[in-house]
């Protein structure tokens, strides 16, 4: 293991004792490492939730992962998954064009904010802007093009703990609903499976998530990810394409509105948890 941990905490990662050779690999996070993670994540203060799943071994680690937070822009990822699967089924046309109107100009993040009213965009373009730039204006246009009732039914196929928390998503201009770290991780795994399914639209969703802006979780490996941030809600969920790929979702009660968008301390939990999880999950001795 590297020396990164010494820079991030006062405690050292539990050392591995000698192990008998096993035909099957052990868990990617051992019980000792899980206890170590518990202690260090708790040291970040309240309002931090974590869900991890090894996509290579199937085991999970969680810390307060059922606590719900305002979902913010995390919802854009499952909505894109929903629309792309409709396109695969032939019930949605990604080449259909839609006109950007003044009522679509919501402010906040994105590409369309600076574009002239009256410009036309295909649904495929709107989905790209929704994911790559977390574009609120594009997302509103996507929801108008593909209404939300079907999305609410789609959510119920994902096996979430709190599927009812998404019942109000997409009504009107605002983003509504809640999310917990566990459910964010389940959504990320559904996206991972779709991206690996061979669908060109799945490959496009992965590509856009690999190139999102404003990273909070960090890794030396490629990450397909989606953030969400607002007053009292700051989250990031990622598929990390490490040698042993994994899902990592971190939800927090940090976050501020546009008037004070960047507060350095809000980002600290994401940086530290990224490093800690990567250390233990990629530990060759586990």
């Amino acid at each position: 293991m590297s020396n990164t941990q010494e820079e991030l905490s006062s405690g050292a990662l539990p050392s591995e004792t000698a192990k008998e050779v096993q035909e099957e690999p052990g868990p990617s996070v051992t019980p000792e490492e899980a206890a170590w993670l518990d202690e260090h994540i708790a040291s970040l203060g309240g309002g931090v939730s974590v869900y991890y799943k090894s996509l290579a071994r199937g085991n999970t680690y969680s810390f307060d992962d059922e606590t719900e937070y305002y979902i913010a822009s995390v919802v854009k990822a499952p909505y894109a998954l929903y629309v792309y699967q409709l396109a695969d089924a032939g019930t949605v046309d990604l080449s259909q064009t839609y006109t950007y109107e003044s009522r679509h100009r919501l402010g906040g993040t994105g590409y369309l904010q600076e574009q002239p009213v009256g410009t036309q965009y295909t649904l495929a373009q709107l989905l790209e802007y929704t994911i790559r730039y977390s574009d609120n204006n594009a997302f509103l246009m996507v929801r108008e093009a593909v209404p939300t009732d079907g999305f609410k039914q789609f959510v119920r196929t994902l096996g979430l703990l709190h599927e009812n928390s998404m019942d109000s998503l997409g009504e009107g201009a605002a983003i509504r609903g809640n999310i917990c770290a566990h459910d964010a991780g389940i959504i990320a795994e559904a996206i991972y499976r779709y991206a690996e399914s061979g669908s060109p639209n799945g490959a496009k969703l992965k590509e856009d998530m690999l190139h999102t802006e404003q990273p909070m979780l960090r890794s030396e490996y490629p990450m397909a990810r989606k953030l969400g941030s607002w007053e009292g809600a700051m989250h990031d969920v990622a598929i990390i394409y490490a040698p042993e790929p994994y899902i990592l979702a971190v939800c927090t009660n940090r976050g501020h509105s546009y008037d004070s968008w960047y507060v350095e301390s809000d980002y600290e939990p994401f940086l530290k948890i990224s490093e800690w999880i990567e250390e233990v999950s990629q530990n060759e001795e586990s």
Side-chain angles (χ1 to χ4, degrees):
M1 301 195 49
S2 73
N3 294 326
T4 307
Q5 293 303 139
E6 296 178 5
E7 301 173 1
L8 295 175
S9 68
S10 58
L13 185 68
S15 61
E16 294 291 331
T17 57
K19 300 177 181 178
E20 296 180 0
V21 175
Q22 301 176 356
E23 293 184 2
E24 296 295 332
S28 54
V29 177
T30 68
E32 294 79 12
E33 290 167 340
W36 183 88
L37 286 169
D38 286 347
E39 178 182 354
H40 285 75
I41 295 171
S43 74
L44 299 173
V48 178
S49 300
V50 179
Y51 175 88
Y52 155 88
K53 181 173 183 179
S54 168
L55 292 167
R57 310 193 200 197
N59 67 294
T60 64
Y61 164 81
S62 62
F63 183 93
D64 193 27
D65 68 326
E66 295 188 31
T67 293
E68 292 187 272
Y69 305 83
Y70 171 57
I71 194 168
S73 289
V74 170
V75 69
K76 295 169 183 173
Y79 213 103
L81 173 64
Y82 164 63
V83 176
Y84 277 130
Q85 289 186 339
L86 289 179
D88 287 347
T91 58
V92 164
D93 182 1
L94 296 178
S95 66
Q96 177 69 42
T97 59
Y98 299 89
T99 302
Y100 179 47
E101 300 179 7
S102 58
R103 61 189 175 83
H104 295 133
R105 184 164 283 169
L106 302 178
T109 58
Y111 169 79
L112 296 189
Q113 183 69 15
E114 304 301 325
Q115 305 310 308
V117 168
T119 306
Q120 289 196 325
Y121 300 95
T122 65
L123 181 56
Q125 288 175 306
L126 295 173
L127 286 168
E128 178 177 326
Y129 302 153
T130 294
I131 297 302
R132 288 202 180 212
Y133 312 120
S134 200
D135 193 305
N136 291 334
N137 307 320
F139 186 44
L140 175 56
M141 293 178 69
V142 168
R143 284 179 286 155
E144 288 185 357
V146 186
T148 62
D149 287 346
F151 173 71
K152 296 171 190 176
Q153 296 302 315
F154 168 74
V155 164
R156 283 162 171 74
T157 71
L158 299 179
L160 306 183
L161 290 177
H162 302 296
E163 61 184 25
N164 291 335
S165 296
M166 292 194 178
D167 271 354
S168 62
L169 287 180
E171 295 176 357
I175 293 173
R176 298 181 175 90
N178 295 322
I179 195 73
C180 65
H182 177 278
D183 287 353
I186 296 301
I187 290 167
E189 185 172 0
I191 291 171
Y192 172 78
R193 302 299 177 196
Y194 179 56
E196 300 300 310
S197 70
S199 164
N201 289 326
K204 173 59 176 172
L205 179 55
K206 174 183 176 180
E207 180 68 14
D208 287 338
M209 291 182 68
L210 283 167
H211 292 89
T212 56
E213 296 185 335
Q214 297 173 304
M216 294 186 293
L217 293 174
R218 305 296 174 90
S219 177
E220 63 177 294
Y221 306 107
M223 294 195 305
R225 44 178 296 279
K226 185 69 194 76
L227 65 86
S229 184
W230 191 242
E231 191 77 36
M234 193 170 184
H235 325 307
D236 205 2
V237 55
I239 305 158
I240 295 90
Y241 291 90
E244 291 200 13
Y246 61 95
I247 298 293
L248 179 58
V250 177
C251 296
T252 78
N253 63 2
R254 278 54 167 179
H256 296 78
S257 62
Y258 302 127
D259 292 337
S260 53
W261 186 260
Y262 181 80
V263 176
E264 186 173 359
S265 60
D266 291 342
Y267 289 78
E268 182 181 16
F270 298 91
L271 174 61
K272 290 187 173 182
I273 291 168
S274 296
E275 296 282 359
W276 296 337
I277 290 289
E278 192 156 294
E279 283 287 331
V280 298
S281 70
Q282 304 304 303
N283 178 12
E284 295 181 357
E285 295 182 0
S286 294

